[in-house]
Amino acid sequence: MFKYPDSTIPITKSDFVRYLDCPLYAWLWKNKPELKEGHKNSRIADQGEEVEKLAHRLFTGGEEVKGNYQEAEKHTKELMSSGAKIIYQATALTDHYLARADILKRDRDGKRWHIYEVKSSTKKKPEHMPDLCFQLNAFRQAGFEIASVNLVLVNSDYIYREATGLEVDKFFKIEDLTEEIFSKIDEYKIEMKESYKILTGDSEPKVLSLKKNFKYPLPEKFEEYYWKDVPDFSVYDISNIRKNKLELLRGRNILKMQDIPDDFELSDSQNLQVQLTKKETNFIDVENIKNELVAL
């Protein structure tokens, strides 16, 4: 069983996905737990757990791994040695990474394994790629021979009928992403190494620009700390501004809207917002408001 040197703690799939969103966000989430005081799972996260439990009915007869970190790794290996064919929450542990597969199924050859990640969405999304690549890389480094990587998704065409009850084999659909994930794994190995270095470092990472919107709302204390150096009427307040534009402005050390050069390229509506902020005034398009009201 692997033991950590000193107090080193590996990064998880969630840490890595947060890192790709914003290194500072990920570092704070991992290293300043006091900022998450009172944080609860979102409704969507709870829904995901319920869907995962339902998916176990697609792979019956499995055994669930207990514990965390080394304890979970040890239990996973015990189940593998005992001949388990299906393992829920199988745990892979290395000196840098911790990964837990929703469902791990033994191949017919008895040596290789199939990873099944359960999502409550109805289709594959871009954010699923780094998620699955992290899983594959961590399991491989932990000594698992992986035969395939799959997504278990909700079938949007399924119609529930009370007479038959929930038919899990129709409620879910499985998408085999093995070829795509195997081809992308090398793209993420470097980022995984860099994320480990940054997220286990002692200092808050410096980022060129902060992330404007997150998938889930941030805890109140966390949000206050994350935005503590950003004043009111900043470049982050510009409506629908894209990440590349934000990075251009922050790269020029511009944080306040008042400091944006007049020749900086923005859309008409964004430029109007900036100019009105500079003049500390407002603009009311009376004619268009009238037209909208008439239409209603």
Coordinates of all heavy atoms in Angstrom, one line a residue, residues 170-247:
K170 N -33.1 1.2 -20.2 CA -33.6 2.1 -21.1 C -33.4 3.6 -20.7 O -33.2 4.5 -21.5 CB -35.0 1.9 -21.5 CG -35.3 0.5 -22.1 CD -36.8 0.3 -22.4 CE -37.0 -1.1 -23.0 NZ -38.5 -1.4 -23.2
F171 N -33.4 3.7 -19.4 CA -33.2 5.1 -18.8 C -31.8 5.6 -19.1 O -31.6 6.8 -19.2 CB -33.5 5.0 -17.3 CG -33.2 6.3 -16.6 CD1 -34.2 7.4 -16.7 CD2 -32.1 6.5 -15.8 CE1 -34.0 8.6 -16.0 CE2 -31.9 7.7 -15.1 CZ -32.8 8.8 -15.2
F172 N -30.8 4.7 -19.1 CA -29.4 5.0 -19.3 C -29.0 4.7 -20.7 O -29.5 3.8 -21.4 CB -28.5 4.3 -18.3 CG -28.6 4.9 -16.9 CD1 -29.2 4.1 -15.9 CD2 -28.0 6.1 -16.6 CE1 -29.3 4.6 -14.6 CE2 -28.1 6.5 -15.3 CZ -28.8 5.8 -14.3
K173 N -28.0 5.3 -21.2 CA -27.3 4.9 -22.4 C -25.8 5.0 -22.2 O -25.3 5.9 -21.4 CB -27.7 5.9 -23.6 CG -27.3 7.3 -23.4 CD -27.8 8.2 -24.5 CE -27.4 9.7 -24.3 NZ -27.9 10.5 -25.4
I174 N -25.0 4.1 -22.8 CA -23.6 4.1 -22.5 C -22.8 4.5 -23.8 O -23.1 4.0 -24.9 CB -23.1 2.6 -22.1 CG1 -23.8 2.3 -20.8 CG2 -21.6 2.5 -22.0 CD1 -23.5 0.8 -20.4
E175 N -21.9 5.4 -23.7 CA -21.1 5.9 -24.8 C -19.7 5.5 -24.6 O -19.0 5.9 -23.6 CB -21.3 7.4 -24.9 CG -20.7 8.0 -26.2 CD -21.2 9.4 -26.5 OE1 -22.2 9.9 -25.8 OE2 -20.5 10.1 -27.3
D176 N -19.2 4.7 -25.5 CA -17.8 4.3 -25.4 C -16.8 5.4 -26.0 O -16.9 5.7 -27.2 CB -17.6 3.0 -26.2 CG -16.2 2.3 -26.1 OD1 -15.3 3.1 -25.7 OD2 -16.1 1.1 -26.3
L177 N -16.0 5.9 -25.1 CA -15.1 7.0 -25.5 C -13.6 6.6 -25.5 O -12.8 7.4 -25.5 CB -15.3 8.2 -24.6 CG -16.7 8.9 -24.5 CD1 -16.7 10.0 -23.6 CD2 -17.1 9.3 -25.9
T178 N -13.4 5.3 -25.5 CA -12.1 4.8 -25.4 C -11.1 5.4 -26.4 O -10.0 5.9 -26.0 CB -12.1 3.2 -25.5 OG1 -13.0 2.7 -24.6 CG2 -10.7 2.7 -25.3
E179 N -11.4 5.3 -27.6 CA -10.5 5.8 -28.7 C -10.2 7.3 -28.5 O -9.0 7.7 -28.6 CB -11.1 5.6 -30.1 CG -10.2 5.9 -31.2 CD -10.8 5.6 -32.6 OE1 -11.8 4.8 -32.6 OE2 -10.2 6.0 -33.6
E180 N -11.2 8.1 -28.2 CA -11.0 9.5 -28.0 C -10.2 9.8 -26.8 O -9.3 10.6 -26.9 CB -12.4 10.2 -27.9 CG -12.3 11.7 -27.8 CD -13.7 12.4 -27.9 OE1 -14.7 11.7 -27.9 OE2 -13.7 13.6 -27.8
I181 N -10.5 9.2 -25.7 CA -9.8 9.4 -24.4 C -8.3 9.0 -24.5 O -7.4 9.7 -24.1 CB -10.5 8.8 -23.2 CG1 -11.9 9.4 -23.1 CG2 -9.6 9.0 -22.0 CD1 -11.9 10.9 -22.8
F182 N -8.1 7.8 -25.1 CA -6.8 7.2 -25.3 C -5.9 8.2 -26.1 O -4.7 8.4 -25.9 CB -6.8 5.8 -25.9 CG -7.0 4.7 -24.9 CD1 -7.8 5.0 -23.8 CD2 -6.6 3.5 -25.1 CE1 -8.0 3.9 -22.9 CE2 -6.8 2.4 -24.2 CZ -7.5 2.7 -23.1
S183 N -6.5 8.8 -27.1 CA -5.8 9.7 -28.0 C -5.5 11.1 -27.4 O -4.6 11.8 -27.8 CB -6.6 9.9 -29.3 OG -7.8 10.7 -29.1
K184 N -6.3 11.4 -26.3 CA -6.1 12.8 -25.7 C -5.3 12.7 -24.4 O -4.9 13.8 -23.9 CB -7.5 13.4 -25.4 CG -8.3 13.8 -26.6 CD -9.6 14.4 -26.2 CE -10.4 14.9 -27.4 NZ -9.7 16.1 -28.1
I185 N -5.0 11.5 -23.9 CA -4.4 11.4 -22.6 C -3.1 12.2 -22.5 O -2.8 12.8 -21.5 CB -4.2 9.9 -22.2 CG1 -3.7 9.8 -20.8 CG2 -3.3 9.2 -23.2 CD1 -4.7 10.2 -19.7
D186 N -2.3 12.1 -23.5 CA -1.0 12.8 -23.4 C -1.1 14.3 -23.3 O -0.3 15.0 -22.8 CB -0.1 12.4 -24.6 CG 0.4 11.0 -24.6 OD1 0.4 10.5 -23.5 OD2 0.7 10.4 -25.6
E187 N -2.2 14.9 -23.9 CA -2.5 16.3 -23.8 C -2.6 16.8 -22.4 O -2.3 17.9 -22.1 CB -3.7 16.7 -24.6 CG -3.6 16.4 -26.1 CD -4.9 16.8 -26.9 OE1 -5.7 17.6 -26.3 OE2 -5.1 16.2 -27.9
Y188 N -3.1 15.9 -21.6 CA -3.5 16.3 -20.2 C -2.4 15.9 -19.2 O -2.4 16.4 -18.0 CB -4.8 15.7 -19.8 CG -6.0 16.4 -20.4 CD1 -6.6 15.8 -21.6 CD2 -6.5 17.6 -20.0 CE1 -7.6 16.4 -22.2 CE2 -7.5 18.2 -20.6 CZ -8.1 17.6 -21.7 OH -9.2 18.2 -22.3
K189 N -1.4 15.1 -19.6 CA -0.4 14.6 -18.6 C 0.4 15.8 -18.1 O 0.7 15.9 -16.9 CB 0.5 13.6 -19.2 CG -0.1 12.2 -19.3 CD 0.9 11.2 -19.9 CE 0.3 9.8 -19.9 NZ 1.2 8.8 -20.6
I190 N 0.8 16.7 -19.0 CA 1.6 17.9 -18.6 C 0.8 18.8 -17.7 O 1.3 19.2 -16.6 CB 2.1 18.6 -19.8 CG1 3.1 17.8 -20.6 CG2 2.8 19.9 -19.4 CD1 3.5 18.4 -21.9
E191 N -0.5 19.0 -18.0 CA -1.3 19.9 -17.2 C -1.6 19.2 -15.8 O -1.7 19.9 -14.8 CB -2.6 20.1 -17.9 CG -2.5 21.1 -19.0 CD -3.9 21.5 -19.6 OE1 -4.5 20.7 -20.3 OE2 -4.3 22.7 -19.3
M192 N -1.7 17.9 -15.8 CA -1.9 17.2 -14.5 C -0.6 17.4 -13.6 O -0.8 17.7 -12.4 CB -2.2 15.7 -14.7 CG -3.6 15.5 -15.2 SD -3.9 13.7 -15.6 CE -3.8 13.0 -14.0
K193 N 0.5 17.3 -14.2 CA 1.8 17.5 -13.4 C 1.9 18.9 -12.9 O 2.2 19.2 -11.7 CB 3.0 17.2 -14.3 CG 3.2 15.7 -14.6 CD 4.4 15.5 -15.4 CE 4.6 14.0 -15.7 NZ 5.8 13.8 -16.6
E194 N 1.5 19.9 -13.7 CA 1.6 21.3 -13.4 C 0.6 21.6 -12.3 O 0.8 22.3 -11.3 CB 1.4 22.2 -14.6 CG 1.5 23.7 -14.3 CD 3.0 24.1 -14.0 OE1 3.9 23.3 -14.2 OE2 3.1 25.2 -13.4
S195 N -0.6 21.0 -12.4 CA -1.7 21.3 -11.4 C -1.3 20.7 -10.1 O -1.5 21.4 -9.0 CB -3.0 20.7 -11.9 OG -2.9 19.2 -11.9
Y196 N -0.6 19.6 -10.0 CA -0.2 19.0 -8.8 C 0.8 19.9 -8.1 O 0.8 20.2 -6.9 CB 0.4 17.6 -9.0 CG 1.1 17.1 -7.7 CD1 0.3 16.5 -6.7 CD2 2.4 17.2 -7.5 CE1 0.8 16.0 -5.5 CE2 3.0 16.7 -6.3 CZ 2.2 16.1 -5.3 OH 2.7 15.7 -4.2
K197 N 1.8 20.4 -8.9 CA 2.8 21.3 -8.4 C 2.2 22.6 -7.8 O 2.6 23.0 -6.7 CB 3.8 21.6 -9.5 CG 4.9 22.6 -9.1 CD 5.8 22.9 -10.3 CE 6.9 23.9 -10.0 NZ 7.7 24.2 -11.2
I198 N 1.3 23.2 -8.5 CA 0.7 24.4 -8.0 C -0.3 24.2 -6.8 O -0.2 24.9 -5.8 CB -0.1 25.1 -9.2 CG1 0.9 25.6 -10.2 CG2 -1.0 26.2 -8.7 CD1 0.3 26.2 -11.5
L199 N -1.1 23.2 -6.9 CA -2.1 23.0 -5.9 C -1.6 22.4 -4.6 O -2.2 22.6 -3.5 CB -3.2 22.0 -6.4 CG -4.0 22.5 -7.6 CD1 -5.1 21.6 -8.0 CD2 -4.6 23.9 -7.3
T200 N -0.4 21.9 -4.6 CA 0.3 21.4 -3.3 C 1.3 22.4 -2.9 O 2.1 22.2 -1.9 CB 0.9 20.0 -3.5 OG1 1.8 20.1 -4.6 CG2 -0.2 19.0 -3.8
G201 N 1.5 23.6 -3.6 CA 2.4 24.6 -3.2 C 1.9 25.4 -2.0 O 0.7 25.4 -1.7
D202 N 2.8 26.1 -1.4 CA 2.5 26.9 -0.2 C 1.8 28.2 -0.5 O 1.2 28.8 0.3 CB 3.7 27.1 0.7 CG 4.3 25.8 1.2 OD1 3.5 24.9 1.5 OD2 5.5 25.7 1.4
S203 N 2.1 28.7 -1.7 CA 1.6 30.1 -2.0 C 0.4 30.1 -3.0 O 0.3 29.2 -3.9 CB 2.8 30.9 -2.7 OG 3.9 30.9 -1.8
E204 N -0.4 31.1 -2.8 CA -1.5 31.3 -3.8 C -1.0 31.6 -5.2 O -0.1 32.4 -5.3 CB -2.4 32.5 -3.4 CG -3.2 32.3 -2.1 CD -4.0 33.5 -1.7 OE1 -4.3 34.3 -2.6 OE2 -4.4 33.6 -0.5
P205 N -1.4 30.8 -6.2 CA -0.9 31.1 -7.5 C -1.4 32.4 -8.1 O -2.5 32.9 -7.7 CB -1.5 29.9 -8.4 CG -2.7 29.5 -7.6 CD -2.4 29.8 -6.2
K206 N -0.6 33.1 -8.9 CA -1.1 34.3 -9.5 C -1.6 34.0 -10.9 O -1.0 33.2 -11.7 CB 0.1 35.3 -9.7 CG 0.6 35.8 -8.3 CD 1.8 36.8 -8.5 CE 2.3 37.3 -7.1 NZ 3.4 38.2 -7.3
V207 N -2.8 34.5 -11.2 CA -3.4 34.2 -12.5 C -3.6 35.5 -13.3 O -3.7 36.6 -12.7 CB -4.8 33.5 -12.3 CG1 -4.6 32.2 -11.6 CG2 -5.7 34.4 -11.5
L208 N -3.6 35.4 -14.6 CA -3.7 36.6 -15.5 C -5.1 37.2 -15.3 O -5.2 38.4 -15.3 CB -3.4 36.2 -16.9 CG -3.3 37.4 -17.9 CD1 -2.2 38.3 -17.5 CD2 -3.0 36.8 -19.3
S209 N -6.1 36.4 -15.3 CA -7.5 36.9 -15.1 C -8.3 35.9 -14.3 O -8.1 34.7 -14.4 CB -8.1 37.2 -16.4 OG -8.4 36.0 -17.1
L210 N -9.2 36.4 -13.5 CA -10.1 35.5 -12.7 C -11.2 35.0 -13.6 O -11.5 35.6 -14.6 CB -10.6 36.3 -11.5 CG -9.6 36.9 -10.5 CD1 -10.3 37.8 -9.5 CD2 -8.8 35.8 -9.9
K211 N -11.8 33.9 -13.1 CA -12.9 33.4 -13.9 C -14.2 34.1 -13.4 O -14.5 34.2 -12.3 CB -13.0 31.9 -13.6 CG -14.1 31.2 -14.4 CD -14.1 29.7 -14.2 CE -15.3 29.0 -14.8 NZ -15.3 29.1 -16.3
K212 N -15.0 34.5 -14.4 CA -16.2 35.3 -14.1 C -17.4 34.4 -13.6 O -18.0 34.8 -12.6 CB -16.7 36.0 -15.4 CG -15.9 37.3 -15.7 CD -16.6 38.1 -16.8 CE -17.9 38.6 -16.4 NZ -18.6 39.5 -17.4
N213 N -17.6 33.3 -14.2 CA -18.7 32.5 -13.8 C -18.3 31.0 -13.6 O -17.5 30.5 -14.3 CB -19.8 32.5 -14.9 CG -20.3 33.9 -15.2 OD1 -20.8 34.6 -14.3 ND2 -20.1 34.4 -16.4
F214 N -18.9 30.4 -12.5 CA -18.6 29.1 -12.2 C -19.9 28.2 -12.3 O -21.0 28.7 -12.3 CB -18.1 28.9 -10.8 CG -16.7 29.6 -10.6 CD1 -16.6 30.9 -10.2 CD2 -15.6 28.8 -10.8 CE1 -15.3 31.5 -10.0 CE2 -14.3 29.4 -10.7 CZ -14.2 30.7 -10.3
K215 N -19.7 26.9 -12.5 CA -20.8 26.0 -12.7 C -21.8 26.0 -11.5 O -23.0 26.0 -11.6 CB -20.3 24.6 -12.9 CG -21.4 23.6 -13.2 CD -20.8 22.2 -13.5 CE -21.9 21.2 -13.8 NZ -21.3 19.8 -14.1
Y216 N -21.2 26.1 -10.2 CA -21.9 26.1 -9.0 C -21.6 27.4 -8.3 O -20.5 27.9 -8.4 CB -21.6 24.9 -8.1 CG -21.8 23.6 -8.7 CD1 -20.8 22.7 -8.9 CD2 -23.1 23.2 -9.2 CE1 -20.9 21.5 -9.5 CE2 -23.3 22.0 -9.8 CZ -22.2 21.1 -9.9 OH -22.4 19.9 -10.5
P217 N -22.6 28.0 -7.6 CA -22.3 29.2 -6.8 C -21.2 29.0 -5.8 O -21.1 28.0 -5.1 CB -23.7 29.5 -6.1 CG -24.7 28.8 -6.9 CD -24.0 27.6 -7.4
L218 N -20.4 30.0 -5.6 CA -19.3 29.9 -4.6 C -19.9 30.3 -3.2 O -20.8 31.1 -3.0 CB -18.2 30.9 -4.9 CG -17.5 30.8 -6.3 CD1 -16.5 31.9 -6.4 CD2 -16.9 29.4 -6.4
P219 N -19.3 29.6 -2.1 CA -19.7 30.0 -0.8 C -19.4 31.5 -0.5 O -18.5 32.0 -1.1 CB -18.8 29.1 0.1 CG -18.5 28.0 -0.8 CD -18.4 28.5 -2.2
E220 N -20.2 32.1 0.3 CA -20.1 33.6 0.5 C -18.7 34.0 0.9 O -18.1 35.0 0.2 CB -21.1 34.0 1.5 CG -21.2 35.6 1.7 CD -22.2 36.0 2.7 OE1 -23.0 35.1 3.1 OE2 -22.3 37.2 3.0
K221 N -18.1 33.4 1.9 CA -16.8 33.8 2.3 C -15.7 33.6 1.2 O -14.8 34.4 1.0 CB -16.3 33.0 3.5 CG -17.0 33.4 4.8 CD -16.5 32.6 6.0 CE -17.2 33.0 7.3 NZ -16.7 32.2 8.4
F222 N -15.9 32.5 0.5 CA -15.0 32.1 -0.6 C -15.1 33.2 -1.7 O -14.0 33.7 -2.2 CB -15.4 30.8 -1.2 CG -14.3 30.2 -2.1 CD1 -13.5 29.2 -1.7 CD2 -14.2 30.6 -3.4 CE1 -12.5 28.6 -2.5 CE2 -13.3 30.1 -4.3 CZ -12.4 29.1 -3.8
E223 N -16.3 33.6 -2.1 CA -16.5 34.6 -3.1 C -15.9 35.9 -2.7 O -15.2 36.6 -3.6 CB -17.9 34.7 -3.5 CG -18.2 35.6 -4.7 CD -19.7 35.5 -5.1 OE1 -20.5 35.1 -4.3 OE2 -19.9 35.9 -6.3
E224 N -16.1 36.3 -1.5 CA -15.5 37.6 -1.0 C -14.0 37.6 -1.1 O -13.4 38.6 -1.6 CB -15.9 37.8 0.4 CG -17.4 38.2 0.6 CD -17.8 38.4 2.0 OE1 -16.9 38.2 2.9 OE2 -19.0 38.6 2.3
Y225 N -13.4 36.5 -0.7 CA -11.9 36.4 -0.7 C -11.4 36.3 -2.2 O -10.4 37.0 -2.5 CB -11.5 35.1 0.0 CG -10.0 35.1 0.2 CD1 -9.4 35.5 1.4 CD2 -9.1 34.5 -0.7 CE1 -8.0 35.5 1.6 CE2 -7.7 34.5 -0.5 CZ -7.2 35.0 0.7 OH -5.9 34.9 0.9
Y226 N -12.1 35.6 -3.0 CA -11.6 35.4 -4.4 C -11.6 36.8 -5.1 O -10.7 37.0 -5.9 CB -12.6 34.4 -5.1 CG -12.2 34.1 -6.5 CD1 -11.2 33.2 -6.8 CD2 -13.0 34.6 -7.6 CE1 -10.9 32.9 -8.1 CE2 -12.6 34.3 -8.9 CZ -11.6 33.4 -9.2 OH -11.3 33.0 -10.4
W227 N -12.6 37.6 -4.9 CA -12.7 38.9 -5.6 C -12.2 40.1 -4.7 O -12.5 41.2 -5.1 CB -14.2 39.2 -5.9 CG -14.7 38.2 -6.9 CD1 -15.5 37.1 -6.7 CD2 -14.5 38.2 -8.4 NE1 -15.8 36.5 -7.9 CE2 -15.2 37.1 -8.9 CE3 -13.7 39.1 -9.2 CZ2 -15.2 36.9 -10.3 CZ3 -13.7 38.8 -10.6 CH2 -14.4 37.7 -11.1
K228 N -11.5 39.8 -3.6 CA -11.1 40.9 -2.7 C -10.3 42.0 -3.3 O -10.3 43.1 -2.8 CB -10.3 40.3 -1.5 CG -9.0 39.6 -1.8 CD -8.4 38.9 -0.6 CE -7.2 38.1 -0.9 NZ -6.1 38.8 -1.6
D229 N -9.5 41.7 -4.3 CA -8.7 42.8 -4.9 C -9.3 43.5 -6.1 O -8.7 44.3 -6.8 CB -7.3 42.2 -5.3 CG -6.5 41.7 -4.1 OD1 -6.6 42.3 -3.0 OD2 -5.9 40.7 -4.2
V230 N -10.6 43.1 -6.4 CA -11.2 43.7 -7.6 C -12.2 44.8 -7.1 O -13.1 44.5 -6.3 CB -12.0 42.6 -8.3 CG1 -12.7 43.2 -9.5 CG2 -11.0 41.5 -8.8
P231 N -12.1 46.0 -7.6 CA -13.0 47.1 -7.2 C -14.3 47.0 -8.0 O -14.5 46.2 -8.9 CB -12.2 48.3 -7.6 CG -11.4 47.9 -8.8 CD -11.0 46.4 -8.5
D232 N -15.2 47.9 -7.5 CA -16.5 48.0 -8.3 C -16.2 48.6 -9.6 O -15.2 49.4 -9.8 CB -17.4 49.0 -7.5 CG -17.9 48.3 -6.2 OD1 -17.9 47.1 -6.2 OD2 -18.3 49.0 -5.3
F233 N -17.0 48.3 -10.6 CA -16.9 48.8 -12.0 C -15.5 48.4 -12.6 O -14.8 49.3 -13.1 CB -17.1 50.4 -12.0 CG -18.4 50.8 -11.4 CD1 -18.4 51.5 -10.2 CD2 -19.6 50.6 -12.1 CE1 -19.6 51.9 -9.7 CE2 -20.8 51.0 -11.5 CZ -20.8 51.6 -10.3
S234 N -15.2 47.2 -12.4 CA -14.0 46.6 -13.0 C -14.2 46.1 -14.4 O -15.4 46.0 -14.9 CB -13.4 45.5 -12.1 OG -14.2 44.3 -12.3
V235 N -13.1 45.6 -15.0 CA -13.3 45.1 -16.4 C -14.1 43.8 -16.3 O -14.6 43.4 -17.3 CB -11.9 44.8 -16.9 CG1 -11.1 46.1 -17.2 CG2 -11.0 43.8 -16.0
Y236 N -14.2 43.1 -15.1 CA -15.0 41.9 -15.0 C -16.5 42.2 -15.1 O -17.3 41.3 -15.3 CB -14.6 41.2 -13.7 CG -13.2 40.7 -13.6 CD1 -12.2 41.4 -13.0 CD2 -12.9 39.5 -14.2 CE1 -10.9 40.9 -12.9 CE2 -11.6 39.0 -14.2 CZ -10.6 39.7 -13.5 OH -9.3 39.2 -13.5
D237 N -16.8 43.5 -14.9 CA -18.3 43.8 -14.9 C -18.7 44.1 -16.4 O -19.9 44.4 -16.6 CB -18.5 45.1 -14.1 CG -18.3 44.7 -12.6 OD1 -18.8 43.7 -12.1 OD2 -17.6 45.5 -11.9
I238 N -17.9 44.1 -17.3 CA -18.3 44.4 -18.7 C -19.1 43.2 -19.2 O -18.8 42.1 -19.1 CB -17.0 44.6 -19.6 CG1 -16.2 45.8 -19.2 CG2 -17.5 44.8 -21.1 CD1 -14.9 45.9 -19.9
S239 N -20.3 43.6 -19.7 CA -21.3 42.6 -20.1 C -20.7 41.7 -21.2 O -20.2 42.1 -22.2 CB -22.5 43.3 -20.6 OG -23.5 42.3 -21.1
N240 N -20.8 40.4 -21.0 CA -20.5 39.3 -22.0 C -19.0 39.4 -22.5 O -18.7 39.0 -23.6 CB -21.4 39.4 -23.2 CG -22.8 39.1 -22.8 OD1 -23.1 38.2 -22.0 ND2 -23.8 39.8 -23.3
I241 N -18.1 40.0 -21.7 CA -16.7 40.1 -22.1 C -16.1 38.7 -22.1 O -16.3 37.9 -21.2 CB -15.9 41.0 -21.3 CG1 -14.5 41.3 -21.9 CG2 -15.8 40.5 -19.8 CD1 -13.8 42.4 -21.3
R242 N -15.3 38.4 -23.2 CA -14.7 37.1 -23.3 C -13.4 37.0 -22.6 O -12.8 38.0 -22.3 CB -14.5 36.7 -24.8 CG -15.8 36.6 -25.6 CD -15.5 36.2 -27.0 NE -16.8 36.1 -27.8 CZ -17.5 35.0 -27.8 NH1 -17.1 33.9 -27.1 NH2 -18.6 34.9 -28.5
K243 N -13.0 35.7 -22.3 CA -11.8 35.5 -21.5 C -10.6 36.1 -22.2 O -9.7 36.7 -21.5 CB -11.6 34.0 -21.3 CG -10.4 33.7 -20.5 CD -10.2 32.2 -20.4 CE -8.9 31.8 -19.6 NZ -8.7 30.4 -19.5
N244 N -10.5 36.0 -23.5 CA -9.3 36.5 -24.2 C -9.2 38.1 -24.1 O -8.1 38.6 -23.9 CB -9.2 36.1 -25.7 CG -10.4 36.7 -26.5 OD1 -11.5 36.8 -26.0 ND2 -10.1 37.1 -27.7
K245 N -10.3 38.7 -24.1 CA -10.3 40.2 -23.9 C -9.9 40.6 -22.5 O -9.2 41.5 -22.2 CB -11.7 40.7 -24.2 CG -12.2 40.7 -25.6 CD -11.4 41.6 -26.5 CE -11.9 41.6 -27.9 NZ -11.2 42.5 -28.8
L246 N -10.4 39.8 -21.5 CA -10.1 40.0 -20.1 C -8.6 39.9 -19.9 O -7.9 40.7 -19.2 CB -10.8 39.0 -19.2 CG -12.2 39.4 -18.8 CD1 -12.8 38.3 -18.0 CD2 -12.2 40.7 -17.9
E247 N -8.0 38.8 -20.5 CA -6.6 38.6 -20.4 C -5.7 39.7 -21.0 O -4.7 40.0 -20.6 CB -6.2 37.2 -20.9 CG -6.8 36.1 -20.1 CD -6.4 34.7 -20.5 OE1 -5.9 34.6 -21.7 OE2 -6.6 33.7 -19.8

